[in-house]
């Protein structure tokens, strides 16, 4: 079965930056599971997987504009440490969900902590990077109607999510 619209796809992957450093991998985070054609995946990756089948291995390069885009320095903010009540120690690398713009939740990463201020960066960690993927397609099947409706793959251990 080839990857096409509304197929549920499972892919093992290693993602490297242009220097060869591993940014992320299925060994660390589990495979990518997505519904093809629902914009669940970065566009460059989805386009490269189109038409391929389970068992195939691909090495592809996704330019930053087809991945997470360029970095936006306006997404870096310094906020008072008092805005993080109830958290004992805030350290660089911690991630928080925020809804400071238009009530759309997004993830910020702490990049710097002083006595009074915390610097957070709202850029995706891979923004500004070209991504080099080694992919192995594990599974391609028809997505269920509820998976298509939700825009993500359901697995045996993820029935209890909230929509
Ligand atoms: Zn769902």
């Amino acid at each position: 079965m080839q990857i096409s619209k509304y197929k549920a796809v499972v892919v093992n992957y290693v993602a490297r930056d242009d220097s060869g450093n591993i940014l992320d991998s299925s060994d660390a985070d589990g495979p990518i599971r997505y519904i093809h054609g629902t914009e669940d995946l970065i566009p460059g990756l989805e386009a490269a997987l189109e038409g391929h089948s389970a068992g195939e291995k691909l090495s592809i390069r996704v330019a930053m504009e087809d991945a997470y885009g360029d970095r936006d320095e306006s997404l870096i903010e310094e906020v008072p440490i008092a805005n993080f009540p109830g958290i004992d120690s805030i350290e660089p690398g911690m991630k928080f969900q925020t809804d400071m713009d238009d009530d759309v939740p997004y993830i910020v990463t702490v990049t710097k902590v002083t006595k009074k201020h915390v610097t957070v960066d709202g850029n995706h960690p891979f923004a500004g990077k070209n991504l080099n993927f080694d992919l192995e397609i594990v599974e391609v099947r028809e997505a269920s109607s509820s998976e298509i409706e939700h825009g993500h793959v359901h697995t045996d251990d993820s029935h209890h999510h909230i929509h």
Side-chain angles (χ1 to χ4, degrees):
M1 184 180 288
Q2 292 184 326
I3 296 175
S4 60
K5 189 161 190 179
Y6 296 154
K7 296 292 187 292
V9 183
V10 180
V11 184
N12 284 327
Y13 71 101
V14 177
R16 294 182 176 84
D17 65 17
D18 281 344
S19 304
N21 301 307
I22 294 179
L23 300 170
D24 200 2
S25 73
S26 45
D27 284 346
D29 280 347
I32 298 168
R33 300 172 190 275
Y34 79 102
I35 310 294
H36 198 80
T38 59
E39 301 182 349
D40 195 15
L41 203 60
I42 56 172
L45 203 46
E46 186 164 87
L49 285 162
E50 173 93 24
H52 291 280
S53 307
E56 285 190 65
K57 293 182 179 182
L58 307 172
S59 293
I60 62 156
R61 184 171 198 269
V62 180
M64 74 171 87
E65 54 267 28
D66 293 320
Y68 294 95
D70 208 347
R71 287 181 53 78
D72 179 352
E73 300 308 319
S74 76
L75 295 178
I76 298 171
E77 292 188 69
E78 195 179 64
V79 295
I81 204 159
N83 287 16
F84 296 82
I87 298 166
D88 290 339
S89 81
I90 299 174
E91 291 166 18
M94 291 175 80
K95 294 182 194 308
F96 293 92
Q97 184 168 309
T98 175
D99 55 1
M100 60 181 108
D101 289 335
D102 304 325
D103 293 332
V104 178
Y106 70 100
I107 305 293
V108 299
T109 306
V110 174
T111 56
K112 188 177 156 193
V113 183
T114 65
K115 275 187 178 158
K116 291 186 174 172
H117 291 95
V118 177
T119 304
V120 296
D121 185 344
N123 285 287
H124 189 279
F126 301 163
K129 293 185 192 320
N130 302 310
L131 303 177
N132 301 280
F133 287 97
D134 289 323
L135 304 170
E136 181 185 8
I137 302 167
V138 177
E139 185 183 351
V140 182
R141 61 169 170 81
E142 298 289 347
S144 70
S145 55
S146 69
E147 286 177 321
I148 293 168
E149 190 184 325
H150 293 171
H152 57 230
V153 169
H154 293 161
T155 57
D156 288 343
D157 54 4
S158 70
H159 288 153
H160 301 292
H161 55 239
I162 298 163
H163 292 283

